[in-house]
């Protein structure tokens, strides 16, 4: 009987610890912004010439179900490439900022919003319903084969890359990006 009581006590303590960890994670993820990450990975002026990295190609589906190559989008304007999912709280947090920047800069910068469509946790229907419900107007692409996620090592969401007109990655950030940071990175991208 004592062992059973002891076991129940241990289980209760573990449940409390897990619940506390979950609450702590939720609070920290809401407060995390990618300002530091974006600053660390952005191309700063320095005495050494930085090596350029060409953005990898991938194929994703547009809203009409047509396959689109990322390379077909390059060469015209700089690109803001964002990986997101409708179930991701930090993604939802930054979406209004992306919409505002899309409305403000879409004449100078292309926005490629890549939904991580795995077919289970995220489907095209879930993602498109979310976009429609929120009233977002930026172009959405569906990574149904996870090719884009693999090529860009988008292991955590959201992940954002800033790609020059020439198709080179200028900077990138993991985590929710504050609208002011997003705008700052876009302004740098336009000057490239």
């Amino acid at each position: 009987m004592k062992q059973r009581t002891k076991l129940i006590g241990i289980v209760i303590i573990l449940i409390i610890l897990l619940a506390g960890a979950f609450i702590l994670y939720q609070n920290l993820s809401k407060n995390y912004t990618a300002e530091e990450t974006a600053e660390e990975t952005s191309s700063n002026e320095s005495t050494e010439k930085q090596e350029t990295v060409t953005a990898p190609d991938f194929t994703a589906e547009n809203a009409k179900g047509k396959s689109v190559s990322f390379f077909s989008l390059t060469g015209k304007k700089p690109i803001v490439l964002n990986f997101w999912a409708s179930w991701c709280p930090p993604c939802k947090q930054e979406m209004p900022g992306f919409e505002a920047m899309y409305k403000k800069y879409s004449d100078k910068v292309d926005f490629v919003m890549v939904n991580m469509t795995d077919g289970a946790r995220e489907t095209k229907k879930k993602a498109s319903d979310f976009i429609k419900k929120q009233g977002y107007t930026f172009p959405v692409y569906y990574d149904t084969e996870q090719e884009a996620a693999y090529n860009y090592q988008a292991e955590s969401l959201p992940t954002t890359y800033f790609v020059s007109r020439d198709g080179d990655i200028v900077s990138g950030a993991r985590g929710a990006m504050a609208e002011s940071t997003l705008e700052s990175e876009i302004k740098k991208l336009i000057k490239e």
Side-chain angles (χ1 to χ4, degrees):
M1 190 69 160
K2 284 185 179 184
Q3 284 185 334
R4 188 173 187 180
T5 306
K6 193 176 190 181
L7 182 63
I8 291 173
I10 291 172
V11 169
I12 290 172
I13 290 171
L14 284 174
I15 290 171
I16 291 170
L17 286 173
L18 287 173
F22 177 76
I23 291 168
L24 181 62
Y25 172 78
Q26 292 293 332
N27 287 333
L28 288 176
S29 66
K30 286 179 186 174
N31 295 330
Y32 175 75
T33 63
E35 290 179 35
E36 298 84 14
T37 308
E39 289 172 6
E40 289 172 9
T41 58
S42 66
S43 60
N44 296 320
E45 292 182 38
S46 65
T47 55
E48 295 179 34
K49 185 177 178 181
Q50 292 184 339
E51 185 179 326
T52 59
V53 177
T54 301
D57 193 19
F58 63 86
T59 301
E61 291 181 20
N62 65 14
K64 295 178 182 177
K66 180 183 174 189
S67 290
V68 177
S69 161
F70 180 70
F71 280 175
S72 71
L73 304 172
T74 61
K76 301 165 191 134
K77 296 189 268 187
I79 296 174
V80 175
L81 174 62
N82 178 263
F83 294 90
W84 66 280
S86 64
W87 51 261
C88 163
C91 299
K92 291 179 183 179
Q93 178 186 346
E94 73 177 3
M95 286 287 180
F98 275 89
E99 177 67 13
M101 294 301 102
Y102 173 72
K103 287 180 176 176
K104 188 171 183 177
Y105 292 104
S106 64
D107 60 328
K108 296 177 183 159
V109 177
D110 283 330
F111 286 74
V112 179
M113 305 297 285
V114 179
N115 178 260
M116 306 308 295
T117 316
D118 63 5
R121 191 170 186 189
E122 184 78 311
T123 63
K124 284 178 68 173
K125 180 165 178 28
K126 286 179 187 176
S128 60
D129 287 350
F130 169 77
I131 292 296
K132 186 177 181 179
K133 182 179 178 184
Q134 298 302 316
Y136 297 137
T137 58
F138 46 67
V140 175
Y141 299 87
Y142 302 93
D143 187 20
T144 59
E145 302 296 322
Q146 285 76 57
E147 180 185 355
Y150 177 79
N151 289 351
Y152 283 84
Q153 300 174 359
E155 297 162 353
S156 64
L157 297 178
T159 295
T160 305
Y161 288 97
F162 299 90
V163 181
S164 73
R165 178 179 287 108
D166 299 327
D168 296 326
I169 296 175
V170 176
S171 65
R174 296 189 193 277
M177 186 172 282
E179 187 175 329
S180 60
T181 304
L182 177 59
E183 185 166 28
S184 174
E185 292 297 315
I186 289 172
K187 286 179 178 178
K188 289 179 199 174
L189 194 59
I190 293 169
K191 290 179 184 178
E192 286 282 322

